[in-house]
Amino acid sequence: MALGDLMASRLVHSSSSSPSPAAAPLAAPLPNHGHHSHVADDGGIRVANDPEPRNGLEAEEEKPAPVAYLPQVLVLCEQRHEGLDEAAAAAAGPSISGLVSKWRPKDRMKTGCCWIDPFSMAPPKALESIGKTLHAQYERWQPKARYKLQLDPTVEEVKKLCNTCRKYAKSERVLFHYNGHGVPKPTANGEIWVFNKSYTQYIPLPITDLDSWLKTPSIYVFDCSAAGIIVKAFLERLDWGSSSSASSPRDCILLAACEAHQTLPQSAEFPADVFTACLTTPIKMALHWFCKRSLLRCSLDHSLIDQIPGRQNDRKTLLGELNWIFTAVTDTIAWNVLPHDLFQRLFRQDLLVASLFRNFLLAERIMRSANCSPISYPLLPPTHQHHMWDAWDMAAEICLSKLPQLIADPNAEFQPSPFFTEQLTAFEVWLDHGSEDKKPPEQLPIVLQVLLSQSHRFRALVLLGRFLDMGPWAVDLALSVGIFPYVLKLLQTSAMELRQILVFIWTKILSLDKSCQVDLVKDGGHAYFIRFLDSLDAFPEQRAMAAFVLAVIVDGHRRGQETCISAGLIDVCLRHLQPENPHDAQTEPLLLQWLCLCLGKLWEDYPEAQLLGLESNAPEIVIRLLSEPQPEVRASAVFALGNLLDMGSSSVNGGDDDSDDDEKLRAEINVVRSLLQVSSDGSPLVRSEVAIALTRFALGHNKHLKTVAAEYWKPQTNSLLKSLPSLANISNPSNVYSPNSILQGSSGLASHIGPVLRVGSDSSATGRDGRISSPIATNSIMHGSPQSDDSSQHSDSGILLRENASNGGLSYTRSRPTDSGIYSQFISTMCAVAKDPYPRIATIGRRALSLIGVEQVVMKHTRFNSGGSAHQGETSAPPSNFGMARSSSWFDMSSGNFSVAFRTPPVSPPQHDYLTGLRRVCSMEFRPHLMNSPEGLADPLLRSAAAPSNAELSILPQSIIYNWSCGHFSRPLLTGSDDNEEANARREERERIALDCISKCQRSSCKMTSPIACWDTRFELGTKAALLMPFSPIVVAADDNEQIRVWNYDDALPVNTFENHKLSDRGLSKLLLINELDESLLLAASSDGNVRIWKNFTQKGGQKLVTAFSSVQGHRAAGRSIVIDWHQQSGYLYASGDMSSILVWDLDKEQLLSTIQSSADRAISALSASQVRSGHFAAGFADASVRIFDVRTPDRLVYMARPHAPRTEKVVGIGFQPGFDPFKIVSASQAGDIQFLDIRRAAEPYLTIEAHRGSLTALAVHRHAPVVASGSAKQMIKVFSLEGEQLTKISSQLSSFMGQRIGSVNCLSFHPYKSLLAAGAGDNALVSIYAEENYK
């Protein structure tokens, strides 16, 4: 199967998005998140069909189906939910100096040669002929080298020869070949023999002299008896040299024909210079040697071997193919037995050295058969018995058997050897069964050789792609073989069939190491990927890989950015970000994600590219993606937009091209406005990128933001201050310092700058609009007024109104042509970001505020519970700041109990602060290390320079979306994970258990009178919420201080305890379980609307935050009475509170799906999602009314009733009745009555239970068993059947379990599948669990 097909079939689900929506025959199409084909239209396993609703309500009557409803959808289990961590993200991204640079061949070294043959006994012509032959043989291996022959030389001639060779070679390697046949053996000191001047006697030449003339790098070949003596002497010299001098190690390579005690073979079977023959004519030598040992020895004329047709460099001839197979076999042997760095040095850095070492392996095989052992330095392990020689012998035999026919008929068609096909098959078998833990595939060097052949190339690349997909370890192995130059060269081919697989291979290499971006740009490789990205005939996932490759090429590489921009990459990316037809379905999310990331990397820190992007209308195109369903796409779009913002904006300093700057500024403001709108996105991944992009804006527009922020706190009159009850008490009446003095010189401006200032008592508040349309920058604001005294340089709100003296001068020459309302909006948004429920994002928000001089002071927080006792948060500020907790500032828009302040230098004499909690600071230096302090305090940046300093840039939070996204490509893309099989098996087992438990509880009496466990949670504020886990005897409980505790009720042992968050603003609304049939997640909803979802919460200390967001999105009116519910199959989370709307979140997309107006005047006090029908939910109101909504119908509201009339107490609990009937609901009001309604029939209840007298506090409806339970503040729990029969009554008199009495009931919760009921008490913090009497 071609990799293109593999990728088409496997990569469809490889992106981080969910499968495309399937049409569902419902009122409106709903996303089908299911992973099982048997999921019905509303999802879930069941037998009976859902009635088709005609208008969302009417349907044929049918009996509730007895079959259980088990949702099939998983949410929040994507890679992005593993946590947002800069260090982890950086690790996921490509490394800067990784494996490619480690294994990449350096600029290939070339070897020059000099050759000596002191063959004194031979006639001169024979001597010359031998010399010339050897010269020609070497020339074939390295044709461009310079060769010098020296026949029967003297010492002076050798010296001159060596010096000449080194002079010409410069820093290249010199080859010295000594053919010492017919002369004495080397001396014991390692000296070789040469002639004296008169050719009358031999003179010993010390190897040390030779080495000093030839220098390094060098390679020596010694073909003589006892050559090992020379090697030994050489190594002693190397050891002595390395110990006596600190210079770099000498780069010498030695090849010697035999060991010190051995003599060269004298057999007629071998030539006299058998070692040299093996090194220079390996194919003929190997065939002669093999022929004498094979069955062909009788039938084949040996002289034919010298007539093998073809050329060694032409693989389509017999000689060329034999040479190619020999290279593949020897490379494979070497790669499998040598350490990879030594293999790289000997077989990949220098063509001639590689050829000599391949041939040396043959010499070892042949000469060991004659009891002679060639040796080398570096020392190689024995390879003469490696099993790959068998493959060579077989290939040789096949070639030799064809030889007579080819010589007899030169025109006969050449049939290629099956060697490479067979080796590729062996590699494919390994791929089917191999893994990182097993022995590496020994055929890898052969696969590399096969890339040279057009006929085998495609198959080899596909197999190589499959291998690289196995993980970084596989990429490392392939690079160690030497794949890099081959795949780089292949980018110059125009073969269409290779495009997909080449893009895939480069994706795998670059996901590991980006250091080869330089090579790609130098060789023009970027153009290959731009063409592929622009082609519509490739799969979108594959084009996403091309975008990834291009993003890596330009990542932090200015030359790459320049060449890609000149090649038109910006236009290509923007074109593919827009569907050709507006009605078309949007492109594959992975492609959109990487097009955005590629653009972001193109623009990153490159002002000229940013300008080009703005001119290309990029913001308008990218902004459309901010509403895409996939969080990864939205985050990548934010990344791209953020990189369009110029941090060191030149327009601050004025300039000639004012109109261009104004145009650019307007575009930037437009980008920021769009980013502010998505600052409350449901995904931390997106919000994190928004916060980082806005921090860039804070740096680029630092002065103006400081100015506007200063105006926020500038007191206008004394009377205004006195109107603040919490502040008037503190201000000192005798203080001579008047706030009015600040307004000297800038009082006219105060009317233009409308700060968003909310002041007032608890009941009333005055507000001022913050949108301004006049220019904001005038010298008097930032620098104070010339005639004002020293104290007027400091406003009491703590903003420095004058640059420090060392800077001098004015920094602006003109005003910003912008609506400064964007600055007001920015500051209020960043204050909300600084309190984000996701800790990393809150930290980024605090950093951004510190850049514009705003400091967060965490206040001591006091809340009074119903009992009147005060509980303090952990963080506290000095007592003098305490009044701020009650005062309402502009910051209260985003709700919170910390104040925001400016830092200023000290004033002399010290003045009193009019606004408390706003701190003065001495230091003017910026201290980045303070960024991580718990309060997030940082010194301000008060400087006249417009461009950001290094200190500022160093604290800029790093974006993680790019590195994090790179991790996708380093994981296997072509194979499914084994984890899925385990998860499916576990899920099937749980489904079986659930169905079994459900059928039992549906048949049981449901009289839960037996207390099986009682747990003293020791919560200070009583138990606010409790939850029974479905498949383990575990109960989770939480209190209003947002302490979450996990307890095993079988063993009566605590399992885990943790805080939902560390902020001072506390209060819990509800606990819910997500993915209960799989790896369950715990949703903890705080009463301020923040939702945090945890995994591993049943492991001691192992809890990990999966995601967090504000479910009421800044609806300040929501108060502290958030109500929330969850529907697993649709993935919808419903949230509301003291507000007129209900927010519907899609947790799969982590996106606000819709905001439904409740059309009621009163607050929503209870919410319940239908588990049977996706999109249906019921809401109970504070005025005792009940409404049912359907998110799929245009008007949303499908039912309304006042079942509790004439009573008007709020609805405490509401729920859809157990079973499969989606039209029956139960509603309980605080007055104590429980009403049963059938929404198809009438607005009147068909059954009323007077459960409690005016004190009902909790209602629980079992999901499957036909029971409901209610609890009261008067220490009583009652369980009723759906017919109104009271099954159980638990009161404090009856239930004295283990000496404990139940308290006022705060919460009730049924087990999802069993007849178990958990009750949490408000006053004594007990959690009691009740079961039927026969419970085991």
Side-chain angles (χ1 to χ4, degrees), residues 7 495-504 507 525-547 550 572 576 591:
M7 287 155 74
M496 296 295 285
E497 72 276 6
L498 299 184
R499 293 184 319 156
Q500 296 175 356
I501 180 57
L502 273 176
V503 168
F504 183 83
T507 299
H526 62 284
Y528 188 90
F529 297 103
I530 294 176
R531 284 195 303 274
F532 186 84
L533 178 61
D534 203 20
S535 65
L536 292 172
D537 54 346
F539 289 109
E541 296 92 344
Q542 295 164 342
R543 287 167 52 219
M545 292 178 192
L550 289 162
V572 170
H576 292 295
L591 176 57

Side-chain angles (χ1 to χ4, degrees), residues 49 219 353 632 852 927 964 1104:
N49 290 322
I219 178 168
V353 171
E632 293 87 351
I852 56 170
R927 297 202 297 274
W964 179 85
K1104 189 173 180 184

Side-chain angles (χ1 to χ4, degrees), residues 135 319 396 1308:
H135 181 178
L319 185 59
L1308 288 173

Side-chain angles (χ1 to χ4, degrees), residues 629-790:
Q630 294 77 18
E632 293 87 351
V633 176
R634 302 199 298 274
S636 304
V638 171
F639 173 76
L641 291 169
N643 277 314
L644 275 175
L645 301 176
D646 185 5
M647 287 186 297
S649 186
S650 55
S651 53
V652 175
N653 298 321
D656 302 330
D657 51 348
D658 282 3
S659 60
D660 288 355
D661 280 351
D662 293 354
E663 196 71 32
K664 179 182 176 192
L665 189 56
R666 273 193 287 276
E668 281 194 3
I669 295 296
N670 188 35
V671 167
V672 171
R673 192 169 276 121
S674 67
L675 292 176
L676 291 172
Q677 288 168 1
V678 290
S679 62
S680 52
D681 190 278
S683 167
L685 191 64
V686 180
R687 295 199 310 279
S688 164
E689 293 303 316
V690 171
I692 289 162
L694 291 177
T695 307
R696 291 173 66 89
F697 177 73
L699 204 53
H701 295 240
N702 194 291
K703 299 263 174 185
H704 300 278
L705 283 163
K706 281 182 179 175
T707 309
V708 175
E711 288 297 327
Y712 272 155
W713 278 278
K714 190 168 287 185
Q716 305 301 315
T717 62
N718 262 328
S719 61
L720 183 66
L721 282 171
K722 296 283 192 314
S723 73
L724 281 162
S726 57
L727 302 180
N729 311 336
I730 298 166
S731 62
N732 180 355
S734 63
N735 183 7
V736 293
Y737 175 60
S738 159
N740 290 327
S741 64
I742 307 166
L743 302 177
Q744 291 178 15
S746 59
S747 54
L749 225 107
S751 60
H752 293 302
I753 310 282
V756 182
L757 180 65
R758 286 168 46 126
V759 292
S761 63
D762 293 342
S763 57
S764 66
T766 52
R768 301 241 313 278
D769 188 284
R771 295 190 67 76
I772 321 107
S773 56
S774 66
I776 59 162
T778 73
N779 297 333
S780 59
I781 287 188
M782 283 307 274
H783 307 290
S785 145
Q787 68 268 36
S788 58
D789 62 32
D790 182 58

Side-chain angles (χ1 to χ4, degrees), residues 934-1111:
E935 298 85 16
L937 305 180
D939 293 330
L941 299 165
L942 297 170
R943 200 190 281 98
S944 65
S949 72
N950 288 339
E952 289 169 329
L953 290 172
S954 70
I955 64 99
L956 255 186
Q958 293 302 305
S959 165
I960 62 167
I961 180 66
Y962 169 74
N963 279 334
W964 179 85
S965 299
C966 289
H968 170 76
F969 292 114
S970 62
R971 290 185 285 275
L973 301 174
L974 301 176
T975 52
S977 168
D978 295 340
D979 298 347
N980 292 350
E981 292 173 17
E982 290 176 27
N984 288 341
R986 184 173 58 243
R987 187 195 171 88
E988 284 173 15
E989 174 66 12
R990 288 187 167 186
E991 283 178 359
R992 189 187 58 73
I993 294 169
L995 290 170
D996 189 41
C997 291
I998 290 166
S999 64
K1000 282 179 185 170
C1001 80
Q1002 284 175 337
R1003 295 193 304 267
S1004 69
S1005 67
C1006 298
K1007 293 183 177 177
M1008 295 170 226
T1009 52
S1010 171
I1012 60 165
C1014 188
W1015 170 33
D1016 183 358
T1017 59
R1018 294 190 166 80
F1019 286 138
E1020 295 173 9
L1021 300 181
T1023 306
K1024 185 68 190 282
L1027 193 66
L1028 289 164
M1029 295 291 288
F1031 299 104
S1032 52
I1034 282 175
V1035 60
V1036 184
D1039 71 346
D1040 242 352
N1041 258 340
E1042 302 204 53
Q1043 288 281 331
I1044 297 173
R1045 293 185 180 157
V1046 186
W1047 192 63
N1048 183 312
Y1049 53 83
D1050 271 7
D1051 302 336
L1053 290 173
V1055 176
N1056 194 17
T1057 299
F1058 61 98
E1059 282 181 302
N1060 194 29
H1061 61 83
K1062 291 185 165 52
L1063 302 177
S1064 56
D1065 204 8
R1066 301 289 178 102
L1068 190 97
S1069 167
K1070 192 165 186 180
L1071 294 177
L1072 289 166
L1073 210 55
I1074 290 178
N1075 302 343
E1076 65 184 35
L1077 286 164
D1078 298 272
E1079 290 296 333
S1080 301
L1081 305 174
L1082 178 70
L1083 183 150
S1086 301
S1087 47
D1088 60 0
N1090 283 338
V1091 167
R1092 293 172 179 84
I1093 298 177
W1094 299 88
K1095 68 176 183 181
N1096 305 337
F1097 56 94
T1098 56
Q1099 299 171 13
K1100 187 167 180 63
Q1103 71 280 351
K1104 189 173 180 184
L1105 189 63
V1106 171
T1107 187
F1109 63 99
S1110 169
S1111 66

Side-chain angles (χ1 to χ4, degrees), residues 863-885:
R863 280 189 68 240
F864 293 94
N865 71 349
S866 52
S869 59
H871 293 270
Q872 295 179 352
E874 309 125 34
T875 50
S876 62
S880 62
N881 289 340
F882 181 68
M884 201 60 188

